[in-house]
Amino acid sequence: MSEPRPSDRHDASDPDETFAEIVDEATQRDPDLAVIEAGSRTLRARSGPPQGQDVPVRPSDPEVDKALRAVEQELAGRWGETKLEPSVARIAALMDVLGEPQRAYPSIHITGTNGKTSTARMIEALLGAFDLRTGRYTSPHVQSITERISLDGSAMDPERFIETYQDIKPYVEMIDAQQPYRLSFFEVLTGMAYAAFADAPVDVAVVEVGMGGSWDATNVIDGSVAVVTPISLDHTDRLGDTPAEIAGEKAGIIKQGATVILAQQPVDAAQVMLKKAVEVDATVAREGMEFGVVSREIAVGGQQLTLRGLGGEYTEIFLPLYGAHQAHNAAVALSAVEAFFGIGAEQPGALDVETVRRAFASVISPGRLEVVRSSPTVVLDAAHNPAGARATADGLSEAFGFSRLIGVVGASGDKDVKGLLEAFEPIFAEVVITQNSSGRAMDADELAAVAVEVFGNDRVQVEPRLDDALEAAITLAEEEDEYAGAGVLVTGSVITVGEARLLLGRH
């Protein structure tokens, strides 16, 4: 791999010529340049277990729990996250009456189709390790709504969450009365996050878009660093039918003069992103050229990495997460933090490697190839589209080597469920079809009909209740004297994973 360098700022007076040169360079590069596989040798990690906070549970104080449920109920009465009116007018109006809290701190803005939350968590861990106070806003949540707003690496405590809602509620109602549509569930939460970050105050906010980019509620910030994780087909009814169309919407987070950290993309999506960067005079760093994964080895409890960042090479990085996709997320996160500190552009040199190692060793990402039980091993993963499912299947096969794997799948009705199931078909001996409690959940019988097309009738079992599905899958995994080598993967939706986590007693 060549020496890392951030892309030069280009002369905006001739954008077409510059754009053509960038596209040609991106198109001709070896797509596998960023990854040099280092074999499957198992290494014992030098670091201890991750120290990050797990997913929060319900408040132990009955009065606090009652108050939190009241807030949740009020938020649930608004438009849900899948009902959208593509505009930032309402959230911009709310920010105005709140005094523009999102301008009180610099931000790193993250879009893409898959890997956003894990990447956000890694960025948060790195910034925190360098003694910066962080705010992180991600979605959806696994178990508790308070997970969405994080301060200093921990989910906002329920009391503070309630207080923040009550503080902005009068202003929310004011905007509701002025606009054609009330603020949505996601818009109110975004307002809460930006207000909480200003109140803390934080040194930097790490913000994940909800959907798309241009008209996403989060896009009232001016992120000095724009991160684009891999783009694939999802939310096609709202974002477009091709990676290029989806990239056009997601490119909306790239602001004038920003630095863009671009994960490896389909060529047509990369072209759109690069053209946008030229238009706004943004600096671009591309995975596989300016940064990437140099080597990767399976390790006990995760993987051992060598990463190439904008400022140099970082060796012996232990990441307590599984799968090649998480290694790529780590490279993106590292480069985003380097860019935030000006490394590779304003100043030479690299980040302190010991601090980087300590940060990555602390990363957790609940519901992402997360082991929650043994004998048999039960793994949770929130993959909900074909690209995510393929990454999960590859990571699971690489890290676990199950002799028999049973799938538990509960998906949302607005997803490409056939593509999702097809991605898992090679690794599932059998699949138990179920559904979660969400109103968006696909009916178990409808999902089973699709599963029979993919797996055949003999490999499909239907258990509409998730608790029954988990019990059935564990029983299937234990059959034929394969107890020690069997496993269960629960997947298909973040909500399915969160409910399974609660049922299995993981807090």
Side-chain angles (χ1 to χ4, degrees):
M1 178 179 290
S2 60
E3 283 297 308
R5 54 178 178 79
S7 299
D8 297 328
R9 292 185 182 272
H10 302 288
D11 184 358
S13 64
D14 192 10
D16 289 339
E17 181 179 346
T18 305
F19 171 58
E21 293 173 358
I22 296 174
V23 168
D24 181 67
E25 185 179 10
T27 304
Q28 296 301 320
R29 70 189 177 94
D30 180 355
D32 295 322
L33 183 63
V35 180
I36 303 172
E37 292 295 348
S40 58
R41 180 169 57 91
T42 299
L43 301 177
R44 182 168 298 279
R46 297 179 182 179
S47 307
Q51 300 300 310
Q53 185 196 40
D54 208 346
V55 174
V57 295
R58 299 300 310 184
S60 57
D61 185 325
E63 291 303 314
V64 175
D65 187 56
K66 180 180 178 181
L68 180 59
R69 289 187 188 278
V71 171
E72 291 170 327
Q73 186 173 3
E74 289 188 26
L75 289 170
R78 295 179 173 274
W79 275 3
E81 290 173 281
T82 59
K83 186 173 183 180
L84 305 167
E85 193 274 323
S87 168
V88 295
R90 291 175 303 282
I91 187 67
L94 179 61
M95 292 296 99
D96 182 54
V97 298
L98 290 176
E100 303 289 347
Q102 81 282 15
R103 310 288 184 206
Y105 39 80
S107 300
I108 297 175
H109 207 177
I110 307 170
T111 191
T113 302
N114 291 307
K116 296 187 296 295
T117 297
S118 293
T119 302
R121 284 177 170 271
M122 294 179 197
I123 291 172
E124 174 188 53
L126 284 162
L127 292 169
F130 284 98
D131 297 323
L132 292 183
R133 188 162 201 206
T134 58
R136 171 173 52 84
Y137 181 51
T138 54
S139 61
H141 56 274
V142 177
Q143 285 177 205
S144 171
I145 194 171
T146 60
E147 298 165 36
R148 294 177 180 237
I149 305 174
S150 170
L151 294 169
D152 291 325
S154 297
M156 182 182 280
D157 66 66
E159 293 88 349
R160 192 167 189 172
F161 187 91
I162 296 162
E163 180 182 352
T164 302
Y165 176 76
Q166 296 297 341
D167 284 346
I168 75 165
K169 182 178 177 180
Y171 302 97
V172 169
E173 292 173 344
M174 182 188 306
I175 301 305
D176 285 344
Q178 296 172 355
Q179 296 289 326
Y181 303 101
R182 296 172 70 216
L183 287 153
S184 70
F185 169 89
F186 187 73
E187 287 169 333
V188 175
L189 277 173
T190 302
M192 288 174 60
Y194 290 164
F197 296 162
D199 186 60
V202 302
D203 297 314
V204 55
V206 183
V207 178
E208 173 189 336
V209 303
M211 186 186 300
S214 295
W215 43 258
D216 186 74
T218 64
N219 202 30
V220 288
I221 56 173
D222 292 320
S224 60
V225 178
V227 176
V228 187
T229 65
I231 292 172
S232 61
L233 299 182
D234 200 6
H235 301 295
T236 54
D237 57 330
R238 298 175 179 84
L239 302 180
D241 296 323
T242 67
E245 290 177 347
I246 294 171
E249 174 57 34
K250 294 181 183 293
I253 74 163
I254 301 174
K255 305 295 170 44
Q256 186 74 33
T259 300
V260 183
I261 305 299
L262 193 61
Q264 287 200 347
Q265 306 289 347
V267 171
D268 57 346
Q271 290 174 346
V272 172
M273 288 290 173
L274 293 169
K275 185 174 183 179
K276 173 68 173 183
V278 170
E279 290 172 354
V280 299
D281 193 29
T283 301
V284 181
R286 295 151 291 181
E287 184 181 6
M289 298 193 74
E290 286 77 31
F291 70 92
V293 180
V294 177
S295 65
R296 188 174 70 85
E297 297 178 327
I298 307 305
V300 174
Q303 51 192 309
Q304 198 87 353
L305 309 174
T306 296
L307 302 176
R308 172 76 70 177
L310 305 180
E313 195 166 282
Y314 299 79
T315 63
E316 298 182 350
I317 304 297
F318 173 65
L319 180 67
L321 301 174
Y322 301 106
H325 60 295
Q326 295 289 17
H328 289 278
N329 290 340
V332 169
L334 175 62
S335 297
V337 173
E338 287 182 308
F340 180 78
F341 285 125
I343 289 175
E346 288 88 357
Q347 61 182 27
L351 298 174
D352 177 70
V353 68
E354 289 298 333
T355 306
V356 170
R357 287 171 182 153
R358 185 171 69 253
F360 276 121
S362 74
V363 170
I364 61 170
S365 194
R368 278 73 179 178
L369 284 177
E370 179 188 19
V371 178
V372 293
R373 172 183 164 156
S374 58
S375 300
T377 300
V378 177
V379 182
L380 306 180
D381 192 89
H384 55 273
N385 56 46
R390 288 190 291 271
T392 295
D394 290 344
L396 197 73
S397 298
E398 174 186 77
F400 292 91
F402 292 118
S403 60
R404 178 179 174 82
L405 181 64
I406 308 301
V408 175
V409 179
S412 297
D414 59 349
K415 300 297 182 181
D416 178 4
V417 294
K418 187 172 184 181
L420 178 88
L421 293 168
E422 286 173 341
F424 285 123
E425 190 278 332
I427 67 168
F428 285 167
E430 297 181 61
V431 61
V432 181
I433 298 299
T434 189
Q435 66 188 72
N436 59 56
S437 64
S438 167
R440 295 172 53 201
M442 189 171 190
D443 178 78
D445 289 334
E446 291 181 24
L447 182 56
V450 181
V452 168
E453 293 180 29
V454 175
F455 290 88
N457 191 65
D458 293 343
R459 294 167 64 194
V460 178
Q461 181 172 330
V462 184
E463 295 290 350
R465 287 172 51 109
L466 183 55
D467 54 350
D468 293 336
L470 292 171
E471 184 177 351
I474 289 169
T475 299
L476 288 169
E478 294 173 347
E479 288 180 351
E480 301 177 15
D481 298 323
E482 292 184 306
Y483 187 86
V488 173
L489 174 67
V490 183
T491 190
S493 164
V494 175
I495 297 169
T496 301
V497 163
E499 292 180 355
R501 226 173 171 272
L502 284 171
L503 287 168
L504 293 166
R506 184 61 182 257
H507 302 306

